[in-house]
Amino acid sequence: MIIEPRTRGFICLTSHPSGCEENVKNQIEYIKSKGKIEGAKKVLVIGSSTGFGLASRITSAFGSDAATIGVFFDKPGTEGRPGSPGFYNTAAFEKEAHAAGLYAKSINGDAFSNEIKEEVINLIKEDLGQIDLVIYSLASPVRTHPVSGKRFKSVLKPIGGEFSNKTVDFHTGKVSEISIKPAEGDDIENTVTVMGGEDWKMWMDALKAENLLSEGATTVAYSYIGPSLTEAVYRKGTIGAAKDHLEATAFTISDDLKSIGGKAYVSVNKALVTQASSAIPVIPLYISLLFKVMKEKGIHEGCIEQIQRLYSERLYGGDIALDDKGRIRIDDWEMREDVQSEIAELWKTATSENLSEIGDLEGYSNDFFNLFGFKVEGVDYNADVNEVVKVPSIS
């Protein structure tokens, strides 16, 4: 079939298998171009099919020749209906990894569930024995708790009062004012339950209990802080409460791993176009201005560049450089004073009429469509493509 992008708000309803494959190949080539990283050799990536999780899997495999197990939750394509981009990404990754002689297996299912944890545990026992690095990169809006069976849903809301500021519809370029009602009832607790550190700790507890973590094993979860412009809806909102919990959990996990000389870290990453960030009001406008400023300064990074730098300079570069709260700050270039002061000035003047000049709305839009395999250079979108693609280790 010929697959075209169909959007609804911040979601693209279709994805292109050839575009997704080309995206994965491009990321692999970038990692290979940067040289080898003396990193972990057996890696588990929880949330491995898109964004930072996919970049982590690619960096581990093609930067350090690591054997990787990826856990993801995506829909395969069926006849006449494209699958989700994460499924196509995973299929492409495994294809390339196997061609390079690398071990790569994937498990598709709900990472929050006990069943998927058990499946992963059994696979590690059978194939790898122990794991050196666990990357935790889940970004789900809902979670069914494995103990209570209760379904929790996260919300994007400020805490304490209504929030109003500018945002942009990145499809049309229209800048407008948006107001978001504050959290109420169980909103904060529910968001923390979904996006906080409880599940990360459950994973690490389960792996340690089965003696599946090697001596000195490391685990890393991803977080975001951002500037004062976005903090009311992000870092000081319901999501921020979840990130606070995630970051606190790193210390608890580190204490648990002391017996094997292990360590848990939270890496605070740069603002990037992801399926999750596109859903957060205000963030698309901020990112379009951020991209413009960082590209002009020659310090712009996408997911793969961020994670390559995290691995090569911090995790395995000899100086992990933690901040005063024990976090890795790979958002350091984004948060530079000169970058943020320029964005703050541009923000004041941003309108529908001038955003294409003062911001990088085109870059934002291209990155968004790239997530789904569209607008990728070298792909013939007029050609028929097979929407039914198999992940080798699953099929």
Side-chain angles (χ1 to χ4, degrees):
M1 64 185 296
I2 293 175
I3 304 174
E4 297 178 340
R6 289 193 298 112
T7 60
R8 185 177 64 215
F10 56 83
I11 293 293
C12 189
L13 303 174
T14 52
S15 58
H16 199 284
S18 298
C20 290
E21 182 174 16
E22 193 65 22
N23 253 339
V24 169
K25 287 180 178 179
N26 289 341
Q27 292 184 62
I28 289 170
E29 287 308 309
Y30 176 79
I31 292 301
K32 289 164 70 173
S33 76
K34 300 298 285 185
K36 289 298 179 184
I37 300 168
E38 292 301 318
K41 296 301 183 183
K42 298 177 181 180
V43 179
L44 170 63
V45 183
I46 303 160
S48 63
S49 64
T50 60
F52 288 120
L54 175 63
S56 300
R57 194 175 190 189
I58 290 171
T59 303
S60 291
F62 292 91
S64 302
D65 297 322
T68 62
I69 293 174
V71 183
F72 69 112
F73 200 11
D74 282 282
K75 291 181 180 179
T78 56
E79 192 170 341
R81 184 184 294 271
S84 52
F87 199 91
Y88 293 142
N89 290 339
T90 302
F93 169 81
E94 278 202 16
K95 178 182 172 183
E96 295 298 315
H98 296 164
L102 297 169
Y103 173 98
K105 288 189 178 180
S106 307
I107 291 175
N108 189 15
D110 180 5
F112 293 131
S113 71
N114 290 331
E115 290 77 15
I116 292 299
K117 289 181 176 68
E118 189 64 29
E119 196 174 334
V120 171
I121 283 169
N122 291 334
L123 182 58
I124 295 170
K125 287 179 179 178
E126 291 170 10
D127 289 5
L128 300 183
Q130 289 186 318
I131 294 293
D132 307 320
L133 173 65
V134 179
I135 297 292
Y136 188 85
S137 185
L138 287 189
S140 172
V142 295
R143 177 187 179 205
T144 299
H145 198 281
V147 177
S148 68
K150 184 178 177 182
R151 191 170 185 266
F152 295 89
K153 187 174 182 180
S154 64
V155 295
L156 303 163
K157 291 183 179 180
I159 295 174
E162 187 172 305
F163 171 74
S164 297
N165 211 322
K166 294 178 182 177
T167 192
V168 65
D169 181 332
F170 60 89
H171 295 301
T172 65
K174 182 181 179 182
V175 176
S176 61
E177 286 284 324
I178 188 169
S179 294
I180 309 170
K181 298 290 186 183
E184 57 186 12
D186 296 329
D187 283 347
I188 299 172
E189 181 185 349
N190 290 346
T191 304
V192 170
T193 302
V194 176
M195 303 180 72
E198 184 186 34
D199 184 65
W200 182 26
K201 187 175 187 301
M202 284 180 166
W203 270 100
M204 299 310 298
D205 287 348
L207 293 168
K208 186 170 183 285
E210 296 289 343
N211 193 32
L212 299 180
L213 298 173
S214 64
E215 188 72 23
T218 300
T219 183
V220 180
Y222 296 137
S223 187
Y224 181 66
I225 294 176
S228 57
L229 276 171
T230 65
E231 68 180 9
V233 73
Y234 196 92
R235 195 64 203 202
K236 290 186 177 178
T238 52
I239 292 182
K243 295 301 185 183
D244 287 343
H245 186 273
L246 179 79
E247 292 168 14
T249 301
F251 293 100
T252 304
I253 295 173
S254 284
D255 286 341
D256 294 340
L257 297 181
K258 279 181 179 177
S259 60
I260 59 168
K263 190 76 178 178
Y265 297 105
V266 165
S267 175
V268 180
N269 297 353
K270 173 185 180 241
L272 287 168
V273 181
T274 64
Q275 293 182 56
S277 67
S278 298
I280 306 172
V282 181
I283 296 290
L285 178 57
Y286 168 72
I287 290 179
S288 67
L289 298 174
L290 174 72
F291 280 16
K292 179 80 167 183
V293 172
M294 293 190 76
K295 285 177 181 179
E296 286 178 348
K297 293 180 181 295
I299 54 173
H300 175 69
E301 296 172 307
C303 283
I304 196 66
E305 292 87 0
Q306 270 268 285
I307 298 303
Q308 196 280 336
R309 187 160 68 92
L310 170 66
Y311 275 51
S312 65
E313 295 185 10
R314 303 301 180 81
L315 288 177
Y316 305 109
D319 182 12
I320 205 158
L322 303 178
D323 70 4
D324 58 356
K325 294 189 177 180
R327 303 170 297 203
I328 302 170
R329 297 299 296 271
I330 207 71
D331 66 338
D332 47 355
W333 295 354
E334 173 188 356
M335 299 308 294
R336 272 175 26 178
E337 195 280 331
D338 60 323
V339 171
Q340 288 302 319
S341 62
E342 282 190 42
I343 294 170
E345 288 304 309
L346 291 171
W347 186 275
K348 296 174 186 176
T349 63
T351 64
S352 305
E353 290 71 33
N354 69 9
L355 184 58
S356 60
E357 296 173 19
I358 69 169
D360 186 22
L361 197 59
E362 182 181 3
Y364 186 103
S365 179
N366 286 339
D367 282 4
F368 172 81
F369 283 105
N370 284 175
L371 294 173
F372 301 90
F374 296 108
K375 296 188 178 182
V376 180
E377 283 189 29
V379 177
D380 182 0
Y381 291 102
N382 294 315
D384 276 318
V385 64
N386 182 10
E387 69 276 20
V388 181
V389 176
K390 302 291 186 182
V391 173
S393 69
I394 293 176
S395 57

